[in-house]
Amino acid sequence: MIKTDRVLDAKGLACPSPIVRTKKVMQDLSPGQVLEVLATDKGSTADLQAWAKSGGHEYIGTTNEGEVLKHYLRKACSYEEKQETKHPHVIDNDGLKKKLDEGNAVVVDVREQAEYSFNHIPGSLSLPLGELEYRLNDLKKGDEIYVVCYTGNRSDMAAKKLVESGFTNVINVVPGMSDWSGPTEKNF
């Protein structure tokens, strides 16, 4: 049994709710304390790993108990903690629609495959956040890449990860699919 200092129940919640709640609880923890996050959203593993890394916290690991994922995170000490930064290059949904009309946009959707299957921008490439680092060769470093998710949180993490990997023209789409009014398609 893993000793934890606090348990957060995020079962039944989808992104970005597990991350939002985790951030809030982590603020109340003392440095070095361990948080256990209970979740049922399969995408929560990649989301929490990326969030922990971006804030300097330690993602310890995940265990499964049936349908429940138990994520373990350790709050960083003050000398380990990073200020969470936002990717500086952002475009709103209307701006992306204009780029799509011009025909020169590469859209990368970093939501989970199930989310993408039910509703995505035509021509977008599905690269779930948890697979991104393994599929960088699916993208060209010189392309203008627009990263989209449901609210702009996962796409922010993905945009930062792409820039760290040498991509130079990466734009985060905010708010993303939660407020997208352009054309969509399904593929299931």
Side-chain angles (χ1 to χ4, degrees), residues 107-126:
V107 179
V108 174
D109 191 321
V110 295
R111 296 175 301 152
E112 292 302 308
Q113 186 62 47
E115 295 172 281
Y116 179 85
S117 293
F118 276 91
N119 179 28
H120 61 271
I121 297 169
S124 63
L125 176 63
S126 175

Side-chain angles (χ1 to χ4, degrees), residues 104 106 136 139-146 162 165-171:
N104 60 350
V106 174
L136 293 175
L139 302 169
K140 295 179 185 166
K141 291 197 176 185
D143 283 349
E144 190 172 70
I145 299 171
Y146 295 87
L162 287 170
S165 299
F167 292 82
T168 57
N169 200 357
V170 181
I171 300 100

Side-chain angles (χ1 to χ4, degrees), residues 1-23:
M1 172 134 178
I2 299 170
K3 182 187 176 301
T4 60
D5 298 288
R6 185 123 178 236
V7 176
L8 168 63
D9 187 349
K11 295 184 297 236
L13 302 176
C15 185
S17 294
I19 292 175
V20 171
R21 291 195 180 181
T22 298
K23 282 182 185 181

Side-chain angles (χ1 to χ4, degrees), residues 123-184:
S124 63
L125 176 63
S126 175
L127 288 176
L129 182 61
E131 298 176 17
L132 187 62
E133 68 183 285
Y134 307 109
R135 296 187 53 201
L136 293 175
N137 290 334
D138 292 357
L139 302 169
K140 295 179 185 166
K141 291 197 176 185
D143 283 349
E144 190 172 70
I145 299 171
Y146 295 87
V147 188
V148 66
C149 70
Y150 188 68
T151 62
N153 289 327
R154 282 179 281 182
S155 55
D156 179 72
M157 289 186 277
K160 289 185 282 191
K161 186 175 284 210
L162 287 170
V163 169
E164 289 171 5
S165 299
F167 292 82
T168 57
N169 200 357
V170 181
I171 300 100
N172 183 20
V173 181
V174 176
M177 297 305 291
S178 64
D179 197 33
W180 181 255
S181 61
T184 61

Side-chain angles (χ1 to χ4, degrees), residues 48-69:
L48 287 169
Q49 284 176 341
W51 175 80
K53 182 179 178 184
S54 74
H57 302 293
E58 181 183 357
Y59 171 80
I60 298 170
T62 299
T63 62
N64 289 21
E65 282 190 17
E67 295 293 315
V68 177
L69 299 167

Side-chain angles (χ1 to χ4, degrees), residues 2-7 26 29-36 60 71-75:
I2 299 170
K3 182 187 176 301
T4 60
D5 298 288
R6 185 123 178 236
V7 176
M26 284 293 257
L29 292 178
S30 297
Q33 288 189 314
V34 176
L35 172 65
E36 177 180 344
I60 298 170
H71 305 288
Y72 298 93
L73 301 124
R74 182 187 144 277
K75 182 170 180 171

